[in-house]
């Protein structure tokens, strides 16, 4: 809504204004007042840049590229997807759909070279095709064991950022009408929102090609490298200064660590081995949380964030804590349909001092979340440089716990003649001590609580999940 409005009326609307004026007439009056005072603004458009000049990395890509240089064989930033396809798969139409997707999105064809130590982007040719390795396990007595080995190999094989492609696939035939499709991307060219774009486009391409039609979608007006160039130009000068100042003020003096009780001493160097337990907030409790959120002018995400902060505060004995929250960072209409690495991480500092009531805690959380969203353009790595938290090898800087609210996920995939289900649980790796991943699924909120197995036992995490559900019920 925010990006559509700014484009349509030429007013940059802070997110807090949308929340302060949830009635349409009030919002219209506010916009009219702004237009009377200052007139409409031309927001700088994202335009295509010349492909004859070297292409720049976005800030987020630059950070991942740097991390990849430090740890070359790392699979920490792989994005795995496994689909079980039951029914008559048209393999020619499937490969053609993947190749078309690869040709359509320059992000997927990007590689990262650094001849003089300075990274730049090069784009592989559109007709290069998306690499798919095929395996036929029909009739093998140990097909299940071979399948799990293939899945493990796929997830654990590193990418070469300089050679690419940074997306690859395997098609594993178990029977004539039963296949497993594995798709792995490097995070430097994709993100969670991109997965939704990818699956929607794959569905529409396959549907068209099976029916003997052409690619149904209009060409993209801009590509990810255009966004990267725009981002560097746009986030400069006064805009950069005010965002930097916000994070400097907000995170100044924040605790460097969340002192959660652990089951084992923390290893001297952070381990990324992880596991997860499922989280289900049933329909009755989800309904109650929606009513509570409406009453207090918060989103469901803010309400769950407040509860998670209260649980962490109780466990750690700290009333000042920082939780990391990924933000889709797609506030511009032009980038909504692009595959690419847009997501940014926001460090939300929550204040639980003075034993706040539920309504006071929700109000504080709402203020914190809105202010962070309004300053979401400054890349997380620059925030870390500005705040300069004490660095240590045994934990991540600024925060060690994350809450990811997934509202643009893969969802159901609709392919003609096929029953499709998302299979497998992805990688057994974590980037933080605790990662709570949640999203709405029908009438419920579902997800998982991932944890670092170096410091926590499963029983401890199950208890934490119980605390969160108990607190949410008490809040309702």
């Amino acid at each position: 809504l925010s990006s559509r409005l700014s484009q349509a009326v030429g007013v940059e609307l802070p997110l807090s204004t949308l929340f302060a004026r949830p009635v349409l007439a009030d919002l219209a009056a506010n916009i009219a007042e702004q237009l009377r005072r200052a007139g409409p603004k031309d927001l700088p458009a994202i335009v295509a840049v010349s492909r004859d000049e070297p292409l720049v990395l976005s800030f987020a890509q630059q950070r991942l590229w740097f991390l990849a240089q430090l740890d070359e064989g790392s699979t920490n930033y792989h994005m795995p997807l496994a689909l079980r396809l039951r029914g008559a798969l048209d393999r020619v139409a499937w490969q053609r759909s993947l190749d078309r997707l690869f040709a359509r999105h320059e992000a997927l064809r990007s590689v990262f070279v650094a001849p003089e130590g300075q990274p730049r982007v090069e784009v592989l040719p559109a007709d290069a095709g998306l690499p798919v390795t095929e395996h036929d396990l029909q009739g093998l007595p140990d097909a299940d064991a071979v399948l799990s080995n293939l899945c493990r190999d796929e997830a654990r094989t590193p990418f070469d950022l300089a050679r690419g492609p940074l997306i690859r696939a395997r098609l594993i035939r178990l029977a004539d009408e039963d296949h497993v499709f594995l798709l792995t991307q490097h995070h430097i060219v994709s993100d969670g929102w991109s997965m939704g774009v990818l699956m929607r486009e794959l569905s529409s391409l396959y549907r068209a090609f099976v029916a003997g039609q052409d690619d149904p979608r209009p060409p993209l007006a801009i590509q990810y490298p255009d966004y990267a160039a725009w981002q560097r130009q746009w986030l400069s000068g006064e805009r950069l200064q005010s965002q930097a100042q916000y994070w400097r003020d907000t995170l100044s003096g924040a605790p460097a660590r969340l002192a959660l009780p652990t089951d084992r001493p923390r290893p001297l160097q952070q381990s990324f081995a992880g596991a997860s337990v499922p989280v289900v907030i049933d329909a009755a409790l989800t309904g109650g949380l929606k009513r509570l959120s409406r009453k207090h002018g918060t989103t469901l995400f803010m309400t769950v964030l407040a509860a998670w902060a209260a649980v962490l505060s109780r466990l750690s004995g700290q009333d000042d804590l920082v939780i990391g929250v990924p933000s889709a960072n797609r506030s511009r209409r032009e980038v909504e349909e692009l595959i690419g690495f847009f997501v940014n991480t926001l460090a939300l500092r929550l204040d639980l001092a003075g034993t706040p009531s539920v309504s006071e805690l929700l109000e504080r959380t709402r203020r914190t979340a809105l202010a962070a969203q309004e300053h979401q353009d400054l890349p997380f790595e620059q925030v870390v440089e500005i705040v300069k938290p004490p660095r240590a090898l045994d934990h991540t800087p600024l925060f060690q716990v994350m809450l990811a609210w997934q509202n643009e996920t893969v969802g159901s995939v609709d392919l003609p003649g096929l029953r499709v289900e998302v299979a497998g649980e992805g990688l057994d790796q974590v980037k933080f001590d605790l990662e709570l991943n949640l999203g709405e699924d029908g009438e419920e909120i579902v997800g998982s609580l991932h944890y670092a197995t170096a410091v926590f036992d499963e029983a401890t995490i199950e208890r934490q999940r119980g605390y969160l559900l108990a607190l949410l019920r008490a809040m309702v």
Side-chain angles (χ1 to χ4, degrees):
L1 177 61
S2 164
S3 72
R4 297 292 191 284
L5 267 175
S6 20
Q7 208 168 28
V9 297
V11 167
E12 279 198 73
L13 272 187
L15 207 52
S16 51
T17 307
L18 287 182
F19 276 78
R21 299 174 187 273
V23 177
L24 207 49
D26 295 348
L27 184 63
N30 178 273
I31 292 171
E33 176 55 33
Q34 285 197 47
L35 286 170
R36 247 198 321 277
R37 276 206 317 269
K41 285 197 181 70
D42 262 349
L43 303 180
I46 303 177
V47 294
V49 297
S50 162
R51 293 300 185 262
D52 300 330
E53 303 292 315
L55 295 172
V56 297
L57 287 69
S58 69
F59 292 121
Q61 286 182 325
Q62 193 174 327
R63 175 191 52 170
L64 271 204
W65 180 83
F66 180 69
L67 288 174
Q69 308 314 300
L70 295 177
D71 186 1
E72 279 191 8
S74 169
T75 55
N76 253 349
Y77 288 93
H78 282 194
M79 296 175 55
L81 174 72
L83 298 177
R84 190 77 179 252
L85 309 171
R86 292 189 172 92
L89 175 69
D90 181 333
R91 300 231 316 279
V92 174
W94 187 249
Q95 180 69 56
R96 199 177 151 204
S97 305
L98 292 167
D99 288 346
R100 186 68 206 93
L101 198 68
F102 188 69
R104 178 174 169 80
H105 291 277
E106 282 188 2
L108 297 179
R109 295 188 277 120
S110 295
V111 294
F112 300 83
V113 297
E116 279 95 46
Q118 279 303 317
R120 65 164 196 263
V121 174
E122 288 181 356
V123 180
L124 299 173
D127 59 4
L130 194 154
V132 181
T133 310
E134 295 201 20
H135 306 269
D136 193 344
L137 310 188
Q138 284 185 108
L140 288 186
D142 56 347
D144 283 353
V146 177
L147 177 63
S148 20
N149 283 339
L150 284 174
C151 292
R152 200 166 43 248
D153 288 352
E154 176 50 46
R156 299 250 161 101
T157 305
F159 284 103
D160 181 341
L161 292 191
R163 290 186 55 201
L166 302 181
I167 177 171
R168 59 171 186 244
R170 294 188 195 217
L171 186 61
I172 303 162
R173 183 202 291 229
L174 303 174
D176 277 346
E177 299 211 339
D178 190 3
H179 292 80
V180 171
F181 177 66
L182 305 177
L183 185 74
T184 312
Q185 303 171 80
H186 195 290
H187 206 341
I188 201 166
V189 298
S190 187
D191 60 14
W193 179 302
S194 298
M195 289 299 257
V197 175
L198 186 142
M199 294 316 296
R200 281 196 302 277
E201 294 200 350
L202 190 55
S203 297
S204 80
L205 285 165
Y206 182 73
R207 181 172 293 281
F209 293 158
V210 163
Q213 297 160 354
D214 278 337
D215 180 349
R217 288 137 332 122
L220 294 166
I222 60 158
Q223 292 278 356
Y224 188 87
D226 304 318
Y227 159 78
W230 171 86
Q231 182 194 42
R232 287 179 178 272
Q233 202 179 344
W234 186 81
L235 193 60
S236 57
E238 195 182 321
R239 194 178 272 114
L240 179 65
Q241 290 312 315
S242 79
Q243 294 237 355
Q245 195 56 49
Y246 167 80
W247 290 108
R248 193 178 284 115
D249 296 345
T250 303
L251 295 173
S252 164
R257 291 202 23 196
L258 182 62
L260 291 174
T262 57
D263 295 306
R264 279 174 294 288
R266 189 176 281 283
L268 294 176
Q269 186 150 1
Q270 186 184 358
S271 157
F272 297 102
S276 66
V277 300
V279 178
V280 178
I281 300 175
D282 64 38
L285 181 49
T286 298
L289 290 169
K290 285 179 174 170
R291 287 191 296 277
L292 178 70
S293 302
R294 264 199 302 277
K295 183 179 166 189
H296 292 277
T298 55
T299 61
L300 212 42
F301 157 73
M302 292 171 186
T303 302
V304 173
L305 174 65
W308 183 225
V311 169
L312 295 171
S313 170
R314 183 67 62 89
L315 287 171
S316 64
Q318 290 170 230
D319 55 18
D320 179 6
L321 51 111
V322 182
I323 297 176
V325 171
S327 155
N329 198 25
R330 297 207 185 215
S331 51
R332 297 291 302 233
R333 174 76 186 92
E334 302 102 308
V335 302
E336 283 176 24
E337 294 305 315
L338 288 184
I339 289 174
F341 182 27
F342 292 90
V343 70
N344 194 14
T345 305
L346 307 178
L348 269 55
R349 184 178 186 179
L350 293 146
D351 169 20
L352 286 98
T355 57
S357 63
V358 168
S359 65
E360 171 61 23
L361 178 60
L362 287 173
E363 176 52 35
R364 290 182 193 178
T365 306
R366 175 176 175 237
R367 276 201 309 268
T368 299
L370 285 175
Q373 288 281 1
E374 281 177 8
H375 299 87
Q376 68 171 319
D377 301 300
L378 192 70
F380 177 67
E381 47 286 353
Q382 294 194 22
V383 173
V384 176
E385 281 169 27
I386 288 163
V387 178
K388 295 190 171 52
R391 293 298 190 101
L393 290 175
D394 67 348
H395 67 272
T396 47
L398 291 183
F399 60 84
Q400 297 83 47
V401 174
M402 190 136 204
L403 169 59
W405 192 262
Q406 309 290 356
N407 53 3
E408 175 63 40
T409 45
V410 173
S412 60
V413 186
D414 183 18
L415 298 170
L418 292 168
R419 287 201 321 286
V420 185
E421 59 192 57
V422 176
E425 263 304 286
L427 286 177
D428 45 1
Q429 293 185 318
V430 290
K431 298 182 186 67
F432 303 95
D433 292 356
L434 293 175
E435 300 171 10
L436 180 58
N437 282 304
L438 294 174
E440 284 183 79
D441 184 12
E443 299 295 297
E444 299 182 324
I445 297 170
V446 299
S448 48
L449 179 51
H450 297 262
Y451 60 97
T453 48
V455 287
F456 293 115
D457 290 333
E458 187 174 22
T460 303
I461 301 303
E462 286 174 345
R463 241 185 352 263
Q464 290 182 4
R465 173 183 63 187
Y467 298 152
L468 177 64
L469 292 172
L471 186 63
L472 288 168
R473 281 193 288 270
M475 284 168 75
V476 166

